[in-house]
């Protein structure tokens, strides 16, 4: 977009007034851009906090009811809230694993509870079985040395 053209007035007083107003407009642009950046930072922090609270709430509900709860946070919300790991348990052999949510390929709107049908135990799959995983909780860090999916 081309810059706006302001025709220069003929009289000296009008030229000075125009220059003064243009200077004020440029200064105000800088001030407003700074305020917008501060508001964006505060907003992102609030969204991060909301995602963290949503993940904690889901963890409490899943612990209280004993099963996957719908609705759950999306994978991106869990990661943004600081919960980048999902603890799962094989429904057959009861082996617990930690899954790195950031390493999963997923669309941004995938809910955590939808992952239960996709995640499988690697130990049981070697034996030719594919039991589904049971979701335990979201975690901020891995509890195991070598996480697997």
């Amino acid at each position: 977009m081309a810059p706006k053209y302001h025709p220069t007035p003929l009289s000296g007083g009008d030229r000075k007034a125009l220059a003064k107003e243009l200077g004020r407009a440029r200064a105000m642009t800088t001030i407003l851009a700074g305020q917008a950046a501060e508001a964006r930072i505060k907003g992102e922090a609030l969204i991060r906090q909301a995602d963290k609270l949503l993940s904690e709430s889901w963890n409490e509900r899943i612990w209280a009811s004993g099963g996957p709860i719908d609705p759950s946070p999306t994978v991106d919300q869990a990661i943004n809230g600081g919960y980048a790991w999902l603890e799962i348990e094989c429904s057959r052999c009861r082996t617990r694993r930690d899954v790195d949510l950031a390493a999963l390929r997923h669309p941004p709107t995938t809910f955590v509870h939808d992952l239960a049908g996709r995640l499988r135990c690697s130990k049981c799959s070697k034996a030719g079985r594919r039991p589904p995983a049971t979701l335990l909780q979201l975690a901020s860090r891995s509890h195991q040395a070598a996480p697997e999916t």
Side-chain angles (χ1 to χ4, degrees), residues 1-66:
M1 187 163 133
K4 188 167 183 174
Y5 173 71
H6 298 284
T8 306
L10 296 177
S11 71
D14 289 342
R15 280 194 306 269
K16 289 179 187 175
L18 177 64
K20 189 175 182 181
E21 287 300 317
L22 289 174
R24 283 185 186 159
R26 289 183 186 110
M28 191 54 130
T29 301
T30 305
I31 291 169
L32 292 174
Q35 289 175 351
E38 289 173 13
R40 184 171 306 281
I41 290 170
K42 287 179 186 175
E44 288 171 355
L46 286 174
I47 289 171
R48 196 173 308 110
Q49 182 181 8
D51 289 343
K52 179 181 180 187
L53 292 173
L54 180 64
S55 297
E56 290 173 357
S57 169
W58 188 75
N59 276 346
E60 291 298 324
R61 285 185 300 161
I62 199 169
W63 180 81
S65 70

Side-chain angles (χ1 to χ4, degrees), residues 62-86:
I62 199 169
W63 180 81
S65 70
I69 302 295
D70 179 19
S72 63
T74 64
V75 174
D76 289 346
Q77 286 174 332
I79 293 170
N80 188 38
Y83 289 90
W85 294 89
L86 177 64

Side-chain angles (χ1 to χ4, degrees), residues 53-137:
L53 292 173
L54 180 64
S55 297
E56 290 173 357
S57 169
W58 188 75
N59 276 346
E60 291 298 324
R61 285 185 300 161
I62 199 169
W63 180 81
S65 70
I69 302 295
D70 179 19
S72 63
T74 64
V75 174
D76 289 346
Q77 286 174 332
I79 293 170
N80 188 38
Y83 289 90
W85 294 89
L86 177 64
E87 293 181 28
I88 62 170
E89 180 180 68
C90 176
S91 58
R92 182 176 175 271
C93 68
R94 302 291 181 218
T95 303
R96 289 185 176 214
R97 299 272 190 251
D98 291 337
V99 178
D100 184 6
L101 293 176
L104 293 177
R105 289 180 24 188
H106 64 279
T109 56
T110 302
F111 290 101
V112 172
H113 72 271
D114 289 339
L115 296 176
R118 286 197 241 162
L119 299 174
R120 305 285 184 215
C121 175
S122 59
K123 196 167 142 182
C124 289
S125 66
K126 290 177 186 173
R129 295 177 174 85
R130 306 255 318 148
T134 303
L135 304 180
L136 298 178
Q137 71 175 358

